Amino acid sequence: MRALAWHGKHDVRMDTVPDPEIVNPRDCIIKVTSTAICGSDLHLYDHYIPTMQAGDVLGHEFMGEVVEVGAKSTLEKGQRVVVPFTISCGSCYYCTKHQYSACDNGLPADNQDIAQEAYGQPMSGLFGYSHMTGGYAGGQAEYVRVPFSDVGPIVIPDGVEDDKVLFLSDILPTGWQAAEYAQIELGDTVAVWGCGPVGLFAVQSAFLMGAERVIAIDHFPARLALAAKFGAETINFEETDTYEALMLMTGGIGPDAVIDAVGLEAHGLFVDNVVDQIKASTFLGTDRIHSIRQAIVACRKGGRVSMPAVYGGFVDKFPLGAFMEKGLTLKTGQTHVQHYMPALLNAILEGKIDTTFLISHRMDLEKAPHAYKMFKDHQNEYTKIVLKPGSGL
């Protein structure tokens, strides 16, 4: 089959690789009908995430048709399913608490030592996202093996087009969890750093949860315009000092809750960010954390910090004093996708949540290397790219 494989920094290629096979009775094989490029895929593209190996198949946002099932799969051939990016067993201690991204069994035993050493404990497996998270082949391919298919995939009703439900695989639940972790109360003012896909879904979710005002922060005009369509007030950080603007907009108090949807590759010519970039390029540091620093400093006393953004290593200049003295709380983590999928699917089917606004480009899977370059270099125009195998687009 054809699949997009990682070969190094800014080097992804369409390769011919072996077709996936049933390995465990709970497996299924799906024929991919739609797969998307995620902002966190760019961390792999830029080689910020360790333990990648040449030939690894990328992609963790995908859906398709079931074409083969293991003896213990609950799916049936011909069903259309969306697959969560987290690979979770459904029966360990964490899964029974609906903390699916902390699953004890989603990560193969021979990969757990890597995560154990890096983070103290292994997390769940992830599709197409380094050997630290299991080394599973991803969904930017014609076919995918899906472990624990009796737990993860959600069946999509006939007649519902892919574009409406594809983002149940990751970014919609991630944006929703981000807003939920912000513990939004009726009348709150919420500030969201980053108007990429997760940030935009966090904006939409915050309003649905009762926020009175949402302030969206970015520097891409097209993204800010999308946030404004949901009713958000916007700050372009290249034109306005973000902290001063937030203080002015909130009467000097600060937002009740802040959401960092940027992560380890923060942009902007700020002193702290430039220093972080230099440290990362000289292997003296890993992540660029300007956005979370700024969010903590801007948040009101006693406020809440939600961090759905991806961070991978160690950081310095973290404003721990401000965090403590202001009495803030922080919630973060990979998304418990399986927990949110059923309710969010119903919300889509009932017309309460729109996802299609985000898609700016659709391309054939064979154009994936070009799509990655465009998504990296032209983020104002390329808000979300959906790849469709065999479409000829």
Side-chain angles (χ1 to χ4, degrees), residues 1 14-15 56 65 70 94 113 136 141 152 160 187 198 233 248 258 274 293 316 319-320 364 377 387:
M1 70 170 185
M14 287 302 300
D15 289 346
D56 285 346
E65 178 186 343
Y94 298 100
D113 288 349
Y136 290 97
V160 179
V198 169
E233 302 163 63
L248 181 63
V258 295
V274 172
R293 287 192 195 106
D316 60 9
L320 190 59
D364 192 280
D377 296 341
L387 304 169

PDB file of all heavy atoms in Angstrom, residues 1 14-15 56 65 70 94 113 136 141 152 160 187 198 233 248 258 274 293 316 319-320 364 377 387:
ATOM      1  N   MET A   1       0.843  -1.195   0.000  1.00  0.00           N
ATOM      2  CA  MET A   1       0.000   0.000   0.000  1.00  0.00           C
ATOM      3  C   MET A   1       0.877   1.244   0.000  1.00  0.00           C
ATOM      4  O   MET A   1       2.085   1.181   0.237  1.00  0.00           O
ATOM      5  CB  MET A   1      -0.897   0.027   1.241  1.00  0.00           C
ATOM      6  CG  MET A   1      -0.144   0.267   2.537  1.00  0.00           C
ATOM      7  SD  MET A   1      -1.216   0.572   3.949  1.00  0.00           S
ATOM      8  CE  MET A   1      -0.009   0.941   5.216  1.00  0.00           C
ATOM      9  N   MET A  14       6.096   9.755   0.141  1.00  0.00           N
ATOM     10  CA  MET A  14       5.129   8.695  -0.125  1.00  0.00           C
ATOM     11  C   MET A  14       5.890   7.437  -0.509  1.00  0.00           C
ATOM     12  O   MET A  14       6.606   7.409  -1.501  1.00  0.00           O
ATOM     13  CB  MET A  14       4.180   9.121  -1.240  1.00  0.00           C
ATOM     14  CG  MET A  14       3.169  10.176  -0.841  1.00  0.00           C
ATOM     15  SD  MET A  14       2.105   9.681   0.553  1.00  0.00           S
ATOM     16  CE  MET A  14       1.306   8.218  -0.119  1.00  0.00           C
ATOM     17  N   ASP A  15       5.752   6.408   0.323  1.00  0.00           N
ATOM     18  CA  ASP A  15       6.451   5.143   0.110  1.00  0.00           C
ATOM     19  C   ASP A  15       5.440   4.023  -0.118  1.00  0.00           C
ATOM     20  O   ASP A  15       4.275   4.121   0.285  1.00  0.00           O
ATOM     21  CB  ASP A  15       7.292   4.775   1.329  1.00  0.00           C
ATOM     22  CG  ASP A  15       8.511   5.667   1.507  1.00  0.00           C
ATOM     23  OD1 ASP A  15       8.864   6.397   0.559  1.00  0.00           O
ATOM     24  OD2 ASP A  15       9.112   5.629   2.607  1.00  0.00           O
ATOM     25  N   ASP A  56       8.937   5.538   9.469  1.00  0.00           N
ATOM     26  CA  ASP A  56       7.730   5.564  10.295  1.00  0.00           C
ATOM     27  C   ASP A  56       6.577   6.209   9.530  1.00  0.00           C
ATOM     28  O   ASP A  56       6.734   7.284   8.950  1.00  0.00           O
ATOM     29  CB  ASP A  56       7.968   6.360  11.581  1.00  0.00           C
ATOM     30  CG  ASP A  56       8.799   5.609  12.609  1.00  0.00           C
ATOM     31  OD1 ASP A  56       8.963   4.388  12.447  1.00  0.00           O
ATOM     32  OD2 ASP A  56       9.273   6.247  13.569  1.00  0.00           O
ATOM     33  N   GLU A  65     -13.328   2.892   6.279  1.00  0.00           N
ATOM     34  CA  GLU A  65     -14.250   1.752   6.226  1.00  0.00           C
ATOM     35  C   GLU A  65     -13.563   0.501   6.752  1.00  0.00           C
ATOM     36  O   GLU A  65     -12.426   0.192   6.382  1.00  0.00           O
ATOM     37  CB  GLU A  65     -14.695   1.523   4.783  1.00  0.00           C
ATOM     38  CG  GLU A  65     -15.626   0.331   4.610  1.00  0.00           C
ATOM     39  CD  GLU A  65     -15.937   0.046   3.156  1.00  0.00           C
ATOM     40  OE1 GLU A  65     -15.716   0.931   2.310  1.00  0.00           O
ATOM     41  OE2 GLU A  65     -16.397  -1.088   2.864  1.00  0.00           O
ATOM     42  N   GLY A  70     -10.689  -8.718  13.590  1.00  0.00           N
ATOM     43  CA  GLY A  70     -10.225  -9.836  14.381  1.00  0.00           C
ATOM     44  C   GLY A  70     -11.389 -10.531  15.071  1.00  0.00           C
ATOM     45  O   GLY A  70     -12.509 -10.000  15.132  1.00  0.00           O
ATOM     46  N   TYR A  94      -6.802   3.117  34.491  1.00  0.00           N
ATOM     47  CA  TYR A  94      -7.022   4.456  33.956  1.00  0.00           C
ATOM     48  C   TYR A  94      -8.198   4.488  32.978  1.00  0.00           C
ATOM     49  O   TYR A  94      -9.002   5.423  32.995  1.00  0.00           O
ATOM     50  CB  TYR A  94      -5.737   4.967  33.282  1.00  0.00           C
ATOM     51  CG  TYR A  94      -4.599   5.079  34.268  1.00  0.00           C
ATOM     52  CD1 TYR A  94      -3.613   4.098  34.342  1.00  0.00           C
ATOM     53  CD2 TYR A  94      -4.533   6.144  35.153  1.00  0.00           C
ATOM     54  CE1 TYR A  94      -2.585   4.179  35.262  1.00  0.00           C
ATOM     55  CE2 TYR A  94      -3.505   6.250  36.071  1.00  0.00           C
ATOM     56  CZ  TYR A  94      -2.534   5.263  36.131  1.00  0.00           C
ATOM     57  OH  TYR A  94      -1.531   5.344  37.051  1.00  0.00           O
ATOM     58  N   ASP A 113       9.912   1.501  28.300  1.00  0.00           N
ATOM     59  CA  ASP A 113      11.100   2.002  28.985  1.00  0.00           C
ATOM     60  C   ASP A 113      11.465   3.409  28.520  1.00  0.00           C
ATOM     61  O   ASP A 113      11.974   4.217  29.302  1.00  0.00           O
ATOM     62  CB  ASP A 113      12.291   1.070  28.753  1.00  0.00           C
ATOM     63  CG  ASP A 113      12.159  -0.240  29.526  1.00  0.00           C
ATOM     64  OD1 ASP A 113      11.265  -0.317  30.392  1.00  0.00           O
ATOM     65  OD2 ASP A 113      12.931  -1.175  29.242  1.00  0.00           O
ATOM     66  N   TYR A 136       3.473   2.977  16.526  1.00  0.00           N
ATOM     67  CA  TYR A 136       2.371   2.483  15.700  1.00  0.00           C
ATOM     68  C   TYR A 136       2.344   3.199  14.353  1.00  0.00           C
ATOM     69  O   TYR A 136       2.494   4.426  14.289  1.00  0.00           O
ATOM     70  CB  TYR A 136       1.029   2.713  16.391  1.00  0.00           C
ATOM     71  CG  TYR A 136       0.776   1.853  17.594  1.00  0.00           C
ATOM     72  CD1 TYR A 136       1.017   2.334  18.878  1.00  0.00           C
ATOM     73  CD2 TYR A 136       0.289   0.555  17.465  1.00  0.00           C
ATOM     74  CE1 TYR A 136       0.775   1.547  19.990  1.00  0.00           C
ATOM     75  CE2 TYR A 136       0.041  -0.243  18.571  1.00  0.00           C
ATOM     76  CZ  TYR A 136       0.291   0.261  19.832  1.00  0.00           C
ATOM     77  OH  TYR A 136       0.049  -0.519  20.936  1.00  0.00           O
ATOM     78  N   ALA A 141      -2.228   6.974   5.229  1.00  0.00           N
ATOM     79  CA  ALA A 141      -1.945   5.750   4.479  1.00  0.00           C
ATOM     80  C   ALA A 141      -3.243   5.245   3.874  1.00  0.00           C
ATOM     81  O   ALA A 141      -4.328   5.731   4.192  1.00  0.00           O
ATOM     82  CB  ALA A 141      -1.342   4.691   5.405  1.00  0.00           C
ATOM     83  N   GLY A 152     -11.959   1.702  20.797  1.00  0.00           N
ATOM     84  CA  GLY A 152     -11.663   3.021  20.279  1.00  0.00           C
ATOM     85  C   GLY A 152     -12.589   3.581  19.221  1.00  0.00           C
ATOM     86  O   GLY A 152     -13.256   4.605  19.430  1.00  0.00           O
ATOM     87  N   VAL A 160     -23.635  10.521   6.534  1.00  0.00           N
ATOM     88  CA  VAL A 160     -22.902  11.631   7.157  1.00  0.00           C
ATOM     89  C   VAL A 160     -21.536  11.718   6.498  1.00  0.00           C
ATOM     90  O   VAL A 160     -20.741  10.781   6.566  1.00  0.00           O
ATOM     91  CB  VAL A 160     -22.748  11.429   8.670  1.00  0.00           C
ATOM     92  CG1 VAL A 160     -21.970  12.587   9.284  1.00  0.00           C
ATOM     93  CG2 VAL A 160     -24.105  11.278   9.331  1.00  0.00           C
ATOM     94  N   GLY A 187     -20.576  33.559  32.299  1.00  0.00           N
ATOM     95  CA  GLY A 187     -20.127  34.945  32.395  1.00  0.00           C
ATOM     96  C   GLY A 187     -18.631  35.125  32.358  1.00  0.00           C
ATOM     97  O   GLY A 187     -18.144  36.269  32.384  1.00  0.00           O
ATOM     98  N   VAL A 198      -6.971  23.393  17.108  1.00  0.00           N
ATOM     99  CA  VAL A 198      -7.368  23.153  18.498  1.00  0.00           C
ATOM    100  C   VAL A 198      -7.840  24.447  19.146  1.00  0.00           C
ATOM    101  O   VAL A 198      -8.845  24.482  19.857  1.00  0.00           O
ATOM    102  CB  VAL A 198      -6.210  22.522  19.295  1.00  0.00           C
ATOM    103  CG1 VAL A 198      -6.517  22.533  20.792  1.00  0.00           C
ATOM    104  CG2 VAL A 198      -5.961  21.098  18.824  1.00  0.00           C
ATOM    105  N   GLU A 233     -13.377  38.138  20.461  1.00  0.00           N
ATOM    106  CA  GLU A 233     -12.565  39.335  20.282  1.00  0.00           C
ATOM    107  C   GLU A 233     -11.150  38.870  19.974  1.00  0.00           C
ATOM    108  O   GLU A 233     -10.730  37.795  20.432  1.00  0.00           O
ATOM    109  CB  GLU A 233     -12.599  40.182  21.548  1.00  0.00           C
ATOM    110  CG  GLU A 233     -14.013  40.602  21.955  1.00  0.00           C
ATOM    111  CD  GLU A 233     -14.086  41.060  23.391  1.00  0.00           C
ATOM    112  OE1 GLU A 233     -13.441  42.068  23.721  1.00  0.00           O
ATOM    113  OE2 GLU A 233     -14.789  40.388  24.185  1.00  0.00           O
ATOM    114  N   LEU A 248      -6.286  45.901  29.466  1.00  0.00           N
ATOM    115  CA  LEU A 248      -7.228  46.948  29.054  1.00  0.00           C
ATOM    116  C   LEU A 248      -8.621  46.360  28.835  1.00  0.00           C
ATOM    117  O   LEU A 248      -9.639  46.942  29.249  1.00  0.00           O
ATOM    118  CB  LEU A 248      -6.725  47.616  27.772  1.00  0.00           C
ATOM    119  CG  LEU A 248      -7.580  48.763  27.216  1.00  0.00           C
ATOM    120  CD1 LEU A 248      -7.623  49.927  28.212  1.00  0.00           C
ATOM    121  CD2 LEU A 248      -7.038  49.236  25.872  1.00  0.00           C
ATOM    122  N   VAL A 258      -7.427  30.870  31.045  1.00  0.00           N
ATOM    123  CA  VAL A 258      -6.569  30.999  29.873  1.00  0.00           C
ATOM    124  C   VAL A 258      -6.299  29.614  29.311  1.00  0.00           C
ATOM    125  O   VAL A 258      -6.205  28.632  30.063  1.00  0.00           O
ATOM    126  CB  VAL A 258      -5.244  31.726  30.208  1.00  0.00           C
ATOM    127  CG1 VAL A 258      -5.503  33.169  30.614  1.00  0.00           C
ATOM    128  CG2 VAL A 258      -4.478  31.007  31.313  1.00  0.00           C
ATOM    129  N   VAL A 274      13.219  34.184  21.609  1.00  0.00           N
ATOM    130  CA  VAL A 274      14.472  34.119  20.866  1.00  0.00           C
ATOM    131  C   VAL A 274      15.508  33.316  21.644  1.00  0.00           C
ATOM    132  O   VAL A 274      16.226  32.476  21.093  1.00  0.00           O
ATOM    133  CB  VAL A 274      14.993  35.535  20.553  1.00  0.00           C
ATOM    134  CG1 VAL A 274      16.402  35.468  19.964  1.00  0.00           C
ATOM    135  CG2 VAL A 274      14.055  36.250  19.585  1.00  0.00           C
ATOM    136  N   ARG A 293       4.034  30.977  29.345  1.00  0.00           N
ATOM    137  CA  ARG A 293       4.520  32.022  30.252  1.00  0.00           C
ATOM    138  C   ARG A 293       3.564  33.210  30.244  1.00  0.00           C
ATOM    139  O   ARG A 293       3.163  33.727  31.283  1.00  0.00           O
ATOM    140  CB  ARG A 293       5.901  32.504  29.818  1.00  0.00           C
ATOM    141  CG  ARG A 293       7.053  31.572  30.060  1.00  0.00           C
ATOM    142  CD  ARG A 293       8.373  32.315  29.854  1.00  0.00           C
ATOM    143  NE  ARG A 293       9.488  31.403  29.731  1.00  0.00           N
ATOM    144  CZ  ARG A 293      10.106  31.131  28.585  1.00  0.00           C
ATOM    145  NH1 ARG A 293       9.700  31.692  27.465  1.00  0.00           N
ATOM    146  NH2 ARG A 293      11.120  30.300  28.565  1.00  0.00           N
ATOM    147  N   ASP A 316      12.864  26.134  30.979  1.00  0.00           N
ATOM    148  CA  ASP A 316      13.319  27.031  32.033  1.00  0.00           C
ATOM    149  C   ASP A 316      12.537  28.335  31.921  1.00  0.00           C
ATOM    150  O   ASP A 316      11.680  28.499  31.058  1.00  0.00           O
ATOM    151  CB  ASP A 316      14.833  27.266  31.968  1.00  0.00           C
ATOM    152  CG  ASP A 316      15.293  27.876  30.657  1.00  0.00           C
ATOM    153  OD1 ASP A 316      14.428  28.286  29.848  1.00  0.00           O
ATOM    154  OD2 ASP A 316      16.514  27.959  30.439  1.00  0.00           O
ATOM    155  N   PRO A 319       7.295  30.717  34.901  1.00  0.00           N
ATOM    156  CA  PRO A 319       6.946  31.698  35.941  1.00  0.00           C
ATOM    157  C   PRO A 319       6.271  31.043  37.147  1.00  0.00           C
ATOM    158  O   PRO A 319       5.104  31.311  37.470  1.00  0.00           O
ATOM    159  CB  PRO A 319       6.011  32.660  35.209  1.00  0.00           C
ATOM    160  CG  PRO A 319       5.362  31.821  34.167  1.00  0.00           C
ATOM    161  CD  PRO A 319       6.413  30.824  33.723  1.00  0.00           C
ATOM    162  N   LEU A 320       7.022  30.191  37.836  1.00  0.00           N
ATOM    163  CA  LEU A 320       6.457  29.434  38.944  1.00  0.00           C
ATOM    164  C   LEU A 320       6.044  30.347  40.094  1.00  0.00           C
ATOM    165  O   LEU A 320       5.049  30.096  40.778  1.00  0.00           O
ATOM    166  CB  LEU A 320       7.473  28.393  39.425  1.00  0.00           C
ATOM    167  CG  LEU A 320       6.977  27.351  40.421  1.00  0.00           C
ATOM    168  CD1 LEU A 320       5.828  26.548  39.838  1.00  0.00           C
ATOM    169  CD2 LEU A 320       8.126  26.420  40.832  1.00  0.00           C
ATOM    170  N   ASP A 364      -5.271  14.799  -2.651  1.00  0.00           N
ATOM    171  CA  ASP A 364      -5.027  13.359  -2.701  1.00  0.00           C
ATOM    172  C   ASP A 364      -3.875  13.015  -1.758  1.00  0.00           C
ATOM    173  O   ASP A 364      -2.960  13.814  -1.551  1.00  0.00           O
ATOM    174  CB  ASP A 364      -4.672  12.934  -4.126  1.00  0.00           C
ATOM    175  CG  ASP A 364      -4.704  11.425  -4.299  1.00  0.00           C
ATOM    176  OD1 ASP A 364      -3.720  10.764  -3.898  1.00  0.00           O
ATOM    177  OD2 ASP A 364      -5.700  10.896  -4.813  1.00  0.00           O
ATOM    178  N   ASP A 377       4.610  26.247   5.884  1.00  0.00           N
ATOM    179  CA  ASP A 377       5.089  27.553   5.412  1.00  0.00           C
ATOM    180  C   ASP A 377       3.999  28.586   5.186  1.00  0.00           C
ATOM    181  O   ASP A 377       4.288  29.775   5.092  1.00  0.00           O
ATOM    182  CB  ASP A 377       5.876  27.376   4.106  1.00  0.00           C
ATOM    183  CG  ASP A 377       7.147  26.555   4.291  1.00  0.00           C
ATOM    184  OD1 ASP A 377       7.607  26.433   5.454  1.00  0.00           O
ATOM    185  OD2 ASP A 377       7.663  26.029   3.288  1.00  0.00           O
ATOM    186  N   LEU A 387      -6.521  14.928   3.567  1.00  0.00           N
ATOM    187  CA  LEU A 387      -5.999  14.081   2.503  1.00  0.00           C
ATOM    188  C   LEU A 387      -6.967  12.924   2.254  1.00  0.00           C
ATOM    189  O   LEU A 387      -7.439  12.289   3.207  1.00  0.00           O
ATOM    190  CB  LEU A 387      -4.624  13.518   2.893  1.00  0.00           C
ATOM    191  CG  LEU A 387      -3.561  14.573   3.249  1.00  0.00           C
ATOM    192  CD1 LEU A 387      -2.343  13.897   3.875  1.00  0.00           C
ATOM    193  CD2 LEU A 387      -3.157  15.388   2.028  1.00  0.00           C
TER     194      LEU A 387
END
